[in-house]
Amino acid sequence: MRSSSLNLLRSAARCNRSRLVSCRTARYGLRWSSSSERQWSTPLAKALSEAITTTGPISVASYMRQCLTSPDGGYYTRQTEDHDQFGSKGDFVTSPEISQIFGELIGIWLYTEWLAQGKRKEVDVIEVGPGRGTLMADILRTVATFKEFASSVESVYLIEASPNLREKQAKLLSGDVELQELHNDFRPSDWTAPCQFLPEVNVVYCEDMKAVPRTDDTTPFIIAHEFFDALPVHVFQNKASSSIPASSTILTPTGPITPKHGPQAPKNQWHELVVSPVSKYATKTNISKSKEEDVEFQLTVSKSPTPHSLYLPQTSPRYKALEKTPDAIIEVSPESLKYISDFAVRIGGSNPPSSMPKPPPSSAALSTSQDIAHFSKSQPSGAALILDYGPLQTIPANTLRGIRSHRPISPFASPGLVDLSADVDFLALAETALNVSPGVEVHGPVEQAFFLSTMGIKERAEKLIRSAKAANGNEKVAEETIKRLETGWKRLVDRGPTGMGRIYKAMAIVPYNEKVVRRPVGFGGDVVG
């Protein structure tokens, strides 16, 4: 009986164990099945997550670059016939879309600079990040009214990474003319076609600034409107290395020793803010307060300094001044400095090779001086006009933002479908331009309201309104035109807390002339020449 009872107990135990294992399999098998695979908002989000899982968290700059220009679904490079990023039906409206007067005044500004510099020949008009080409169309239409200036223009260059946007630009500036491919050493996908506003001039639609020739005789007029805000930024936070107080002795296995230079207090170090995927088990309330945003990535502070955090915060006295400020945050954009260096060198030439500082080995990929070959210019000429948003003096911090359908959204939601931007550090641009070229000077930044007002935006709007009132035609259309003109120009110069006239700034790079001191028009100067 005893033996039979033991057998029954053993059988029951085996049965229960097999049930338990089956139960566990049933209970936990679903968690690892393919049916529970994480669903990402976009293919780019999945690709980013897989890359980060393999290589580790990435910098904010890398995240921005992929989200905006990745060939696999970047915001500006994705092929979307049914969606336009710009305008009332898109995600945001830019100044040229608000009022034609904006582009007209920039065209007049170029004309005043051309006059002030002695009506030079061989002018190149260049725009970086031209969007759909609306601004350039208004500029060229205005330039065409100044016959002598128009005849000095040799070429127009539009620098745009998106093939889709380049097609829209060509449609607007060249009409239905067939585009000719340019085969050069830079990009095989560059196109050219005659300009419908300046029939004797060709427009070159290219992907890279390198495709624009740099010669001693050329006078480049460069426009960068809402361009620098879209360039990637690195974000750094100042962190204390240790909370352990300084000690007069150091304990070693052989006994205490006294440091040669006395107690050494721990120093603060810059750590980089990096991007990583949000855990799929995290609740939405832990990440975002918005019920409409599916935030899939997050910012964290790197546990140790990165190559970028060891170098970039040391490139300017403005950053060094904060190295002892705990938790200070700065944003640095090496790509912005590279572009502004190129602009300055094209206008004023570069420093002699012997005076160009050699960067430390760790900064080889970040140095602007390495990317820009020595270029001498017998006489500085040309100008660059930068219009963008950012602070007048302070270093941007925590300004990464996303926008979709005209409303703010987390920059870490729906990668590739959300426009990302960050404030422009205008003083960093000015500092870099002056450092790389002895032949330039910088004016500004000034508020957009000041720039446009001194350029005569109110007077131009009043003239257009009078013309609309005097025109014989549909009264309803005239009223709509007058309302659009009136609200448009006032919106551009609005100095309210979030008004475009206040948050947008203008800055100019012009040739330096030690014999003639002048301010450009729009920056406190008058028309000369």
Side-chain angles (χ1 to χ4, degrees), residues 91 117 126 135 153 185 189 206 286 321 388 445 450 452-454 485 490-491:
D91 293 319
Q117 296 180 32
I126 306 164
L135 175 58
V153 178
D185 297 333
S189 58
C206 46
N286 294 138
D388 225 312
F450 176 85
L452 294 179
S453 296
T454 55
L485 290 168
K490 289 182 178 179
R491 181 178 176 185

Side-chain angles (χ1 to χ4, degrees), residues 126-362:
I126 306 164
E127 185 181 2
V128 289
R132 293 189 298 192
T134 305
L135 175 58
M136 183 58 79
D138 291 335
I139 291 173
L140 296 179
R141 178 171 48 80
T142 304
V143 168
T145 63
F146 302 104
K147 301 302 181 185
E148 190 177 1
F149 180 34
S151 65
S152 71
V153 178
E154 286 204 339
S155 298
V156 176
Y157 291 89
L158 272 66
I159 316 302
E160 176 58 60
S162 168
N164 187 38
L165 287 176
R166 288 206 302 273
E167 290 179 1
K168 293 180 180 180
Q169 296 158 14
K171 186 74 174 177
L172 185 60
L173 300 182
S174 299
D176 296 324
V177 178
E178 184 179 355
L179 299 174
Q180 302 295 322
E181 284 193 11
L182 290 178
H183 298 282
N184 52 46
D185 297 333
F186 304 106
R187 301 288 181 188
S189 58
D190 295 346
W191 311 321
T192 184
C195 175
Q196 63 179 355
F197 301 102
L198 306 174
E200 303 299 322
V201 176
N202 278 348
V203 182
V204 180
Y205 307 91
C206 46
E207 186 177 347
D208 198 299
M209 195 72 180
K210 293 178 181 178
V212 182
R214 186 193 298 169
T215 64
D216 180 44
D217 298 329
T218 302
T219 298
F221 285 119
I222 306 168
I223 301 103
H225 174 250
E226 291 202 47
F227 170 72
F228 285 99
D229 67 278
L231 295 182
V233 297
H234 290 268
V235 187
F236 305 105
Q237 185 172 4
N238 191 286
K239 303 292 289 185
S241 296
S242 173
S243 59
I244 301 175
S247 175
S248 58
T249 60
I250 300 176
L251 297 178
T252 70
T254 57
I257 61 174
T258 302
K260 183 178 180 180
H261 300 289
Q264 298 294 309
K267 296 181 179 179
N268 288 5
Q269 284 186 310
W270 291 102
H271 288 241
E272 186 160 11
L273 271 64
V274 291
V275 180
S276 59
V278 171
S279 170
K280 68 177 182 178
Y281 302 113
T283 58
K284 184 170 290 190
T285 54
N286 294 138
I287 307 300
S288 172
K289 295 181 180 179
S290 171
K291 296 181 179 180
E292 300 177 3
E293 296 178 15
D294 184 11
V295 178
E296 297 168 301
F297 295 87
Q298 62 185 346
L299 273 181
T300 56
V301 181
S302 60
K303 294 182 179 179
S304 59
T306 64
H308 295 105
S309 68
L310 292 173
Y311 167 65
L312 286 176
Q314 307 303 318
T315 58
S316 170
R318 298 168 66 229
Y319 308 146
K320 289 182 179 180
L322 296 172
E323 61 185 9
K324 294 182 180 179
T325 305
D327 296 323
I329 295 178
I330 60 174
E331 294 175 354
V332 186
S333 174
E335 288 191 33
S336 296
L337 306 185
K338 177 181 175 181
Y339 272 101
I340 206 68
S341 297
D342 182 82
F343 296 173
V345 168
R346 287 177 184 272
I347 296 167
S350 62
N351 289 308
S354 58
S355 66
M356 296 175 71
K358 293 183 179 180
S362 63

